[in-house]
Amino acid sequence: MFPEKGASEEEVLRELEEKTMEDLTFDSGKILGSMCTYPHPFAVKVVMKYIDRNLGDPGLHVGSQKIEKEAVDILASLLGLEKGYGHIVSGGTEANILAVRAMRNIAGVEKPELILPESAHFSFIKAAEMLGVKLVWAELNDDYTVNVKDVEEKITDRTIGIVGIAGTTGLGVVDDIPALSDLAIDYGLPLHVDAAFGGFVIPFAKALGYEIPDFDFRLKGVKSITIDPHKMGMVPIPAGGIIFREKKFLDSISVLAPYLAGGKIWQATITGTRPGANALAVWAMIKHLGFEGYKEIVKEKMELARWFASELKKIPGVYLIREPVLNIVSFGSEKLEELEEELKAMGWGISAHRGYIRIVVMPHVKREHLEAFLGDLKKISKRL
């Protein structure tokens, strides 16, 4: 019920504190199944300072719009492209929807179809429903990468594009994007890479010597990439990114918003009013940490993930789904439902809905947290 009279700040904050007591917090170390993390303190400062900026009306915030464009170009350069076209958006879901919308609009075919791996994120289901695009699911290989031959067999004259994943949600697997790129070029189709998670991991992991397939604009068939700074980029939610290789993709999804302060403004994003502060935080965090700073973070988490995977192998009753590619470790059990239930009862923020438990070794996850988790896992597995 809408209150008749207002309460004091102290009363409201006290009630908020009580009502959020059920929430798990990142600093507790109990959240192990999330691709988000506690934002970097510097990024929090930036968001708080510029909380009023609205990139939906860039005529009011000209400087912020310029910074967003710089942030897009910086992300594009990380992904092997000198200049990119796109926006800082609400997250991977919006970015993927925008990519599908661009492919559909440029293709201009009746009954459009999109080919994507069975491992693709559920955001593509949302995109398909909203945009009237049929999803054609490609099979996975034994290592959980997409079967490129199956992708090729499913191409028809209604196909508007192909999707590859660089860091799958469940296992952190990177598809054979080079092969998909060649396929896309051969058939004259755009390839969209969903690197919502992997975009802020793979470039640094490769620089550290990890053998991971190329996935970005260095491959000529790649026309768009989703990358989420609010994951391993440690920017406050919401901060996703969509980067297009060519301006025509952005133009194809832009609509006129003539009543805004900037005059004849074109909007490509799904959201109209959108937070400028988070885009500024993307720019600020990259400037603050630089490539070397992010590389150090990725180094620590990649090593920790591999240590964790090796420790899991020592526990009877559980097994790795596959060796980790990125900083994601997933394991199964013959008594998975009971295992999940008991781990959750102990306060662990995990999920087993995919048929296994996924642990994402994010910046807030420390070795002591994983040691505590392993201790509980051993006790439960032994009892089961």
Side-chain angles (χ1 to χ4, degrees), residues 38-181:
Y38 193 86
H40 193 285
F42 178 61
V44 174
K45 287 181 183 179
V46 173
V47 169
M48 289 177 68
K49 182 173 176 61
Y50 300 102
I51 195 71
D52 62 330
R53 307 308 153 94
N54 171 22
L55 283 175
D57 197 346
L60 298 177
H61 304 122
V62 177
S64 294
Q65 182 193 36
K66 290 178 180 176
I67 292 172
E68 183 195 24
K69 287 181 178 178
E70 283 187 33
V72 166
D73 281 338
I74 292 170
L75 289 175
S77 71
L78 178 68
L79 301 171
L81 190 64
E82 185 176 341
K83 179 175 178 56
Y85 302 91
H87 288 290
I88 305 302
V89 294
S90 59
T93 292
E94 182 178 0
N96 286 336
I97 291 170
L98 292 174
V100 176
R101 185 166 165 239
M103 287 188 283
R104 183 202 66 175
N105 289 359
I106 284 179
V109 301
E110 291 185 18
K111 299 181 180 179
E113 297 180 356
L114 178 71
I115 303 174
L116 70 171
E118 290 177 351
S119 57
H121 189 258
F122 62 78
S123 56
F124 290 100
I125 298 174
K126 295 182 181 180
E129 290 180 355
M130 286 189 280
L131 299 169
V133 174
K134 179 183 177 182
L135 299 181
V136 179
W137 300 96
E139 298 171 358
L140 303 183
N141 299 313
D142 291 341
D143 63 357
Y144 298 93
T145 61
V146 70
N147 185 319
V148 178
K149 184 179 179 182
D150 191 49
V151 172
E152 183 172 16
E153 289 176 353
K154 286 174 175 170
I155 295 173
T156 71
D157 56 4
R158 295 186 297 276
T159 303
I160 61 170
I162 299 168
V163 173
I165 316 297
T168 58
T169 310
L171 298 171
V173 170
V174 181
D175 285 327
D176 187 351
I177 307 297
L180 290 176
S181 173

Side-chain angles (χ1 to χ4, degrees), residues 88-363:
I88 305 302
V89 294
S90 59
T93 292
E94 182 178 0
N96 286 336
I97 291 170
L98 292 174
V100 176
R101 185 166 165 239
M103 287 188 283
R104 183 202 66 175
N105 289 359
I106 284 179
V109 301
E110 291 185 18
K111 299 181 180 179
E113 297 180 356
L114 178 71
I115 303 174
L116 70 171
E118 290 177 351
S119 57
H121 189 258
F122 62 78
S123 56
F124 290 100
I125 298 174
K126 295 182 181 180
E129 290 180 355
M130 286 189 280
L131 299 169
V133 174
K134 179 183 177 182
L135 299 181
V136 179
W137 300 96
E139 298 171 358
L140 303 183
N141 299 313
D142 291 341
D143 63 357
Y144 298 93
T145 61
V146 70
N147 185 319
V148 178
K149 184 179 179 182
D150 191 49
V151 172
E152 183 172 16
E153 289 176 353
K154 286 174 175 170
I155 295 173
T156 71
D157 56 4
R158 295 186 297 276
T159 303
I160 61 170
I162 299 168
V163 173
I165 316 297
T168 58
T169 310
L171 298 171
V173 170
V174 181
D175 285 327
D176 187 351
I177 307 297
L180 290 176
S181 173
D182 291 342
L183 194 62
I185 292 169
D186 289 345
Y187 285 86
L189 294 168
L191 171 61
H192 172 66
V193 177
D194 182 359
F197 185 78
F200 259 95
V201 179
I202 300 170
F204 310 106
K206 287 171 74 72
L208 289 163
Y210 288 94
E211 292 186 8
I212 302 170
D214 289 338
F215 76 105
D216 56 20
F217 291 112
R218 293 171 180 84
L219 304 169
K220 299 302 182 184
V222 176
K223 300 299 183 183
S224 56
I225 297 178
T226 288
I227 178 172
D228 278 3
H230 68 206
K231 292 186 169 74
M232 285 294 288
M234 298 183 294
V235 175
I237 298 167
I242 176 66
I243 314 294
F244 293 105
R245 180 188 290 274
E246 301 165 69
K247 188 173 181 289
K248 69 176 183 179
F249 288 96
L250 195 63
D251 289 343
S252 74
I253 57 174
S254 296
V255 298
L256 186 62
Y259 66 86
L260 301 174
K264 194 174 182 180
I265 297 296
W266 294 83
Q267 284 190 355
T269 53
I270 293 173
T271 53
T273 301
R274 57 192 180 93
N278 297 69
L280 302 190
V282 172
W283 180 91
M285 274 302 299
I286 295 172
K287 290 280 187 176
H288 177 55
L289 289 181
F291 193 92
E292 288 301 316
Y294 277 114
K295 190 170 76 171
E296 282 302 307
I297 293 165
V298 169
K299 179 178 186 292
E300 179 184 332
K301 299 311 164 185
M302 290 284 280
E303 290 175 355
L304 188 56
R306 277 144 185 78
W307 169 83
F308 179 65
S310 68
E311 292 299 306
L312 280 173
K313 293 177 184 177
K314 301 174 184 177
I315 302 176
V318 302
Y319 55 88
L320 283 183
I321 301 299
R322 63 154 293 159
E323 291 294 332
V325 179
L326 305 181
N327 48 318
I328 297 176
V329 183
S330 297
F331 65 93
S333 167
E334 291 183 3
K335 298 186 177 180
L336 191 63
E337 289 185 11
E338 298 98 315
L339 192 62
E340 178 192 21
E341 187 177 334
E342 293 206 31
L343 284 168
K344 283 186 172 180
M346 291 179 166
W348 294 105
I350 50 93
S351 169
H353 292 167
R354 295 178 184 84
Y356 48 81
I357 292 173
R358 175 192 72 166
I359 304 299
V360 190
V361 186
M362 296 298 288

